[in-house]
């Protein structure tokens, strides 16, 4: 039996996929280099690391409320191209400022915040782009490929970033700047997609609609609550991790980069098999149990330094990434299945505000908590306490998510009944029509 080839999702998706893969690879450089630059070159405190980490998500509550409404009204391809160019400029400022000796925490905060704001507009277009350029039955497969690309860059990215930082220092950030240029070029050569949505009502009315749509639908509401809970604790873990690695466990950038690259193999495996798991157990069920496992696995970080720190970080983060891939592959299709095309933008924007708006606070709490506890506990124990606390808080997301699958099953059953009723009504045979009416009546 010959092996079945992966489906061809078309030139538009292939360009989009290529551009995003390159851009994600560049992003790994900045994500790795900025904390290392702050700790080793600027000698920043844990609080300062937390403040800059907060800036990474600050645009969500500030820009997010209007982003979805505006993206709906703008040319989406040009919007995403422009976002790439804005991010290119903001990242390029950092090494230039360092070489001119005026790089500081406030400037880093500003550059990261600009990237954050542009990324919000970009991500809303990103979520609209996938269902616009591929058919409905290939949406999960498309997200799986994108998630797989992200996981591949997760595998190679930290080691490459560590090598680039060792060789080029802050100049490594130009790699990320170049990746945004390649992503912009990919959009330039794509055919137009995602036409402007002309809707009645002001920006405020459309924004209010986005919040109402997320909260009125029982599936979307539970996804929102789960994601808010996850993002109230998860960023504490992520923000404190480099502080734990560099200052608590005294790892070099090379060792930490190698550990994170090994860890990312788990995320890659998760991206590859998540569609099969979701098909077998359902999107909602996979989403819920992945949330719980994602957080419980994170507690493995407490095994360091009793066990070799590099190995502990690699194994813990491999499980952490595997589960996160499953979460990401399931979340977007589950939400998109509940929303009409004309409201996708405002729905995604409101979702981002709901769910990502807590991330800046969580990141700041992570850095602040380590700073406050270090005096009495030392940086190692302070980091461990904050990471464990954030992880246990995030694990409560499971309680909301566990009820999603029954709601999806009920909706699917209702669609099946409506389809049967429609088929019966269209049949000239009276018995068929009666059967359809009976099904419709029992569904109501």
């Amino acid at each position: 039996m010959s092996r079945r080839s992966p489906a061809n999702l078309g030139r538009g998706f292939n360009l989009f996929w290529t551009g995003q893969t390159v851009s994600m690879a560049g992003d790994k450089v900045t994500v790795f280099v900025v904390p290392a630059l702050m700790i080793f070159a600027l000698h920043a405190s844990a609080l300062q690391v937390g403040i800059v980490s907060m800036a990474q998500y600050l645009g969500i509550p500030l820009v997010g409320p209007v982003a979805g409404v505006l993206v709906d009204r703008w040319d989406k391809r040009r919007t995403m191209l422009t976002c790439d160019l804005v991010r290119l400029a903001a990242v390029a400022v950092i090494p230039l400022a360092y070489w001119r000796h005026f790089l500081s925490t406030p400037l880093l905060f500003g550059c990261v915040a600009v990237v954050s704001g542009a990324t919000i507009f970009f991500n809303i277009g990103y979520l609209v782009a996938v269902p616009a350029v591929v058919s409905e039955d290939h949406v999960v497969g498309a997200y799986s490929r994108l998630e797989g690309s992200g996981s591949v860059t997760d595998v190679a990215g930290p080691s490459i970033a560590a090598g680039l930082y060792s060789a080029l220092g802050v100049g490594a950030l130009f790699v990320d700047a170049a990746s945004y240029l390649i992503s912009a070029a990919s959009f330039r050569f794509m055919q137009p997609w995602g036409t402007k949505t002309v809707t009645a009502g002001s920006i405020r009315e459309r924004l209010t609609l986005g919040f109402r749509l997320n909260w009125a639908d029982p599936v979307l509401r539970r996804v929102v609550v789960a994601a808010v809970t996850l993002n109230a604790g998860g960023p504490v873990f992520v923000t404190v991790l480099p502080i734990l690695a560099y200052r608590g466990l005294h790892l070099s950038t090379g060792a930490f980069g190698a550990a994170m690259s090994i860890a990312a193999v788990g995320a890659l495996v998760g991206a590859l098999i998540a569609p099969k798991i979701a098909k077998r157990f359902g999107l909602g069920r996979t989403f819920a149990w992945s949330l719980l496992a994602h957080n419980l696995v994170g507690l493995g970080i407490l095994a360091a330094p009793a066990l070799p720190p590099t190995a502990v970080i690699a194994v813990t983060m491999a499980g952490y990434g595997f589960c996160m891939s499953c979460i990401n592959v399931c979340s977007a299709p589950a939400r998109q299945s509940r929303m009409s095309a004309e409201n996708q933008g405002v729905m995604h924007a409101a979702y981002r505000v709901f769910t990502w708006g807590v991330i800046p606070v969580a990141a700041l709490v992570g850095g602040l908590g380590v700073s406050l506890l270090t005096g009495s506990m030392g940086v190692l124990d302070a980091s461990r306490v904050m990471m464990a606390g954030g992880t246990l808080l995030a694990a409560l997301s499971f309680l909301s998510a566990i009820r999603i699958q029954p709601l999806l099953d009920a909706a699917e059953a209702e669609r099946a009944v409506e389809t049967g009723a429609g088929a019966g009504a269209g049949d000239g045979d009276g018995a068929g029509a009666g059967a359809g009416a009976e099904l419709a009546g029992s569904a109501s």
Side-chain angles (χ1 to χ4, degrees), residues 414-425:
E414 184 176 346
R415 280 194 295 269
V417 169
E418 291 173 352
T419 300

Side-chain angles (χ1 to χ4, degrees), residues 156-224:
S159 291
I160 293 173
L164 289 172
Y165 183 69
S166 297
L168 305 175
V170 69
L173 292 174
F174 280 123
V175 173
D176 190 18
S179 76
Y180 286 130
L181 184 61
I182 294 172
S183 176
S186 297
F187 287 117
R188 174 65 180 81
F189 291 110
M190 287 176 68
Q191 292 295 321
W193 53 267
T195 56
K196 301 175 186 177
T197 302
V198 179
T199 55
S202 64
I203 290 178
R204 180 179 178 180
E205 290 170 339
R206 290 291 293 165
L207 176 62
T208 302
L209 173 64
F211 284 108
R212 191 167 65 248
L213 289 172
N214 275 280
W215 199 250
D217 183 274
V219 171
L220 295 178
R221 182 169 63 250
R222 289 185 177 276
V223 173
V224 165

Side-chain angles (χ1 to χ4, degrees), residues 34-46 48-49 98 105 247:
V34 168
L37 178 67
M38 293 191 70
I39 290 171
F40 293 116
L42 299 183
H43 306 291
S45 66
Q48 289 174 316
V49 173
Y98 180 79
T105 297
R247 288 191 173 153

Side-chain angles (χ1 to χ4, degrees), residues 14-27:
N14 290 336
L15 280 170
F16 180 77
W17 187 20
T18 299
Q20 292 320 294
T21 299
V22 173
S23 180
M24 286 186 283
D27 290 344

Side-chain angles (χ1 to χ4, degrees), residues 240-306:
V240 176
L241 180 59
I243 301 171
L244 173 77
Y246 294 138
R247 288 191 173 153
L249 301 173
H250 308 291
L251 296 183
S252 66
T253 54
F256 185 53
M260 294 303 290
S261 287
I262 295 171
V265 173
L268 174 59
V269 173
L272 293 175
I273 70 173
K276 296 180 181 178
I277 298 174
K279 185 176 181 180
R280 173 68 178 83
F281 297 104
L283 286 173
R285 193 171 292 110
T286 303
F287 177 70
W289 287 100
S290 296
L291 281 168
L292 182 62
H294 168 74
N295 290 292
L296 295 182
V297 165
L299 295 175
I301 204 74
L302 300 178

